[in-house]
Amino acid sequence: MYVRDARNRDEAWLLDRIEEMGLDSTAFRSRDYVIAVDERTNERAGFGRYRIHKTDEGEVCELTGIGVVDGWRGQGVGAHVVERLIDLAADNEFDTVYSITDSDDYLRQFGFEPVDAEERPPVIEDRLEQKREEVDEDVTALAIDTGAFEMPAELRDRFKNAEKGGSEPEEPEESAEDFGIDAEEATYKYDTG
């Protein structure tokens, strides 16, 4: 398993997953995303977006649109997507990264902390209000210093050994009745002759 920058050929897949998960696709550009990929099967397992807001006071970095595909959850995929996004922010000289989420416990495990209203950049405050109207009143703004990110060891280990789980719907077992055969009489139910 590894995390790479998204490519143009990933656009359709990304847009489909974003729609399935009900995530924000505002100003979609595939180059803003990273994707977790299983190196054995080339299957895409998760993704996230690094969004830069240009303001009069400077640029603000926000992590958004983070999702993990069914069957890959609980294996450190999302954690490594977040780590890659934080690394990109640090590489681009951002000291602080923001995220607006309704799952703040998840991001807190990496060192994200709530941001008081008076400390939020106006663009993050605006996004927070928008998310509260569109998603849920309980969304919150979190931030982390790019140097303070910590990956829990258990998530790193899970990611190394990640395999697609069993969340796929199971095919029902076929029975004789599926083919028009009465199992008790062993005759055809729909005999025409």
Side-chain angles (χ1 to χ4, degrees), residues 50-163:
Y50 167 90
R51 185 173 182 189
I52 298 173
H53 301 280
K54 297 182 187 275
T55 70
D56 293 339
E57 295 82 36
E59 295 181 336
V60 176
C61 182
E62 176 191 3
L63 305 188
T64 184
I66 299 167
V68 177
V69 178
D70 283 341
W72 291 101
R73 294 189 177 127
Q75 299 186 66
V77 173
H80 282 76
V81 166
V82 170
E83 180 180 47
R84 171 75 175 195
L85 293 169
I86 298 280
D87 288 346
L88 286 171
D91 291 347
N92 286 292
E93 300 181 4
F94 285 99
D95 294 327
T96 304
V97 174
Y98 297 88
S99 187
I100 299 168
T101 182
D102 59 352
S103 302
D104 62 324
D105 287 344
Y106 181 74
L107 291 177
R108 285 178 190 238
Q109 70 183 320
F110 308 118
F112 279 80
E113 295 180 354
V115 184
D116 293 328
E118 60 276 355
E119 295 178 22
R120 292 181 203 131
V123 68
I124 296 299
E125 186 66 29
D126 292 344
R127 291 267 301 142
L128 179 61
E129 291 307 314
Q130 175 189 7
K131 288 288 191 181
R132 284 182 173 160
E133 290 174 15
E134 294 175 3
V135 178
D136 187 349
E137 187 63 33
D138 293 332
V139 297
T140 186
L142 303 175
I144 188 170
D145 177 61
T146 54
F149 179 84
E150 292 184 28
M151 174 71 71
E154 68 184 43
L155 293 177
R156 194 162 308 281
D157 291 340
R158 284 188 211 163
F159 187 71
K160 288 177 186 174
N161 302 309
E163 291 185 8

